[in-house]
Amino acid sequence: MKEYSDYIVRATAANHQIRAFAATTRDVVETARQRHNTSPVATAALGRLLTGGAMMGSMMKNDKDMLTIQIKCEGPIKGLTVTADMHGNVKGYVENPDVMLPPNSKGKLDVAGALDLGVLSVIKDMGLKEPYVGQTILQTSEIAEDLTYYFATSEQVPSSVGLGVLMEKDNTVKQAGGFIVQVMPFIEETVLAKLEENVKKITSVTAMLDKGYTPEQILEEVLEGLDVEFTDEIPTQFACNCSKERVTKAIISIGKKDIQEMIEDGKDIEVNCHFCNTQYTFTVEELKEIIKRSR
Ligand SMILES: [Zn+2]
């Protein structure tokens, strides 16, 4: 048995003409659900984006690179934010965790209805002066297709993305996972045709997850007949790097005047981390110490 349950596998196929990623993220998504107390449709939406984000994070090259995927949308969920690094650490939240919607026409959680129209932004902070920002309009608002469209238009990399979250009857997360398959510019016609044929046959990632497929088995199916080679495996987990000291620094940065007002209010203040919902309490005494460190 592995020490971890969630992981990302990386693979190549057809003699490096294809690169591929697949992940199982049940614990990542269940942790997010518990932290944010998300409704089923919000869990599905956030879970899909966390899964895509974890895999996209693993595509980055440098230790300190940070990937952020942000969706701003008109639907009742209002927005989602996910951040990931190259080591499988991922975190995220939705603007409205309580969104409830009837099932869609296929009887599934209506993620597209929760998001509706919107814009997807991918921000890669690679330690340069300006981060890379790619923005695209949501296509189906089901998230996987929206990431496919982002890869095609912003990165000019033809890709196929599948993401799925499956819920238990008690609304905890039963399975979550997905895949990203990308083709290189020098791909041969016959290889591309075979890949397209395979992808067409895949009706849903959720169905594969329901059968208990591992990430390796998902890729074996997507890349069937294309000589898939697994190159490495990275554990992935919901992880937030917030701490009382980081929140303290954030309070310092708001300036002396505002901190003075909080002190005069005479009440403890509570600061919540958006990403993991941890609550940090600061007493008036602590604020008096903080103001000494502020300008
Ligand atoms: Zn946090």
Side-chain angles (χ1 to χ4, degrees):
M1 279 294 286
K2 293 188 170 104
E3 284 169 39
Y4 48 86
S5 51
D6 286 355
Y7 63 96
I8 301 163
V9 284
R10 292 197 283 208
T12 64
N15 201 16
H16 302 282
Q17 296 178 74
I18 297 169
R19 70 167 184 169
F21 306 79
T24 180
T25 52
R26 189 253 164 213
D27 288 356
V28 167
V29 181
E30 175 59 15
T31 304
R33 187 195 70 78
Q34 289 176 14
R35 290 291 179 96
H36 299 295
N37 197 20
T38 41
S39 70
V41 70
T43 306
L46 181 58
R48 289 182 196 175
L49 198 63
L50 284 165
T51 304
M55 288 187 282
M56 287 167 71
S58 80
M59 294 176 188
M60 293 188 298
K61 304 272 187 302
N62 300 304
D63 202 40
K64 289 197 170 136
D65 291 357
M66 288 300 293
L67 172 91
T68 302
I69 312 174
Q70 202 162 50
I71 294 175
K72 289 194 192 297
C73 54
E74 290 179 10
I77 203 165
K78 292 185 181 143
L80 302 92
T81 303
V82 160
T83 294
D85 66 14
M86 67 177 286
H87 302 292
N89 296 307
V90 62
K91 60 185 177 179
Y93 62 94
V94 302
E95 297 295 333
N96 176 12
D98 303 322
V99 50
M100 290 284 195
L101 287 173
N104 66 18
S105 59
K106 290 176 187 157
K108 299 267 164 65
L109 290 167
D110 192 4
V111 171
L115 270 67
D116 205 357
L117 302 177
V119 175
L120 174 112
S121 305
V122 174
I123 303 139
K124 292 184 201 169
D125 187 346
M126 295 172 287
L128 306 170
K129 234 179 195 165
E130 297 288 333
Y132 161 90
V133 184
Q135 262 185 345
T136 47
I137 304 289
L138 294 181
Q139 298 297 302
T140 63
S141 304
E142 293 281 0
I143 298 176
E145 291 82 355
D146 303 308
L147 291 176
T148 303
Y149 184 75
Y150 158 78
F151 281 122
T153 56
S154 271
E155 298 197 6
Q156 282 85 46
V157 182
S159 309
S160 177
V161 183
L163 302 169
V165 175
L166 194 66
M167 309 296 287
E168 295 276 13
K169 285 204 178 68
D170 66 359
N171 291 331
T172 57
V173 179
K174 188 177 180 190
Q175 297 282 0
F179 68 84
I180 300 176
V181 174
Q182 302 192 312
V183 304
M184 299 300 118
F186 50 85
I187 191 162
E188 293 160 20
E189 290 280 335
T190 50
V191 174
L192 188 60
K194 174 66 181 152
L195 178 62
E196 283 173 350
E197 185 193 316
N198 289 358
V199 169
K200 245 181 240 162
K201 276 193 275 183
I202 290 161
T203 47
S204 117
V205 178
T206 320
M208 290 195 275
L209 295 171
D210 205 15
K211 286 187 225 163
Y213 276 33
T214 62
E216 288 86 346
Q217 287 170 317
I218 291 174
L219 287 186
E220 274 160 9
E221 191 145 321
V222 178
L223 301 170
E224 191 260 318
L226 292 166
D227 301 323
V228 58
E229 275 179 67
F230 297 104
T231 51
D232 56 345
E233 180 180 311
I234 316 156
T236 183
Q237 52 283 318
F238 189 99
C240 191
N241 53 353
C242 68
S243 63
K244 189 145 187 181
E245 183 53 27
R246 283 179 83 106
V247 178
T248 302
K249 282 183 183 148
I251 296 173
I252 290 169
S253 73
I254 67 172
K256 248 192 168 87
K257 188 168 156 280
D258 287 351
I259 302 170
Q260 188 57 43
E261 278 173 24
M262 292 180 205
I263 292 169
E264 282 162 18
D265 278 345
K267 281 181 271 184
D268 293 356
I269 64 153
E270 275 167 4
V271 182
N272 260 47
C273 173
H274 277 307
F275 281 101
C276 69
N277 218 13
T278 301
Q279 197 169 65
Y280 294 93
T281 305
F282 291 87
T283 62
V284 174
E285 287 311 309
E286 284 173 307
L287 290 172
K288 283 178 184 167
E289 286 305 310
I290 288 169
I291 202 167
K292 288 180 196 161
R293 292 167 65 184
S294 183
R295 299 160 185 257

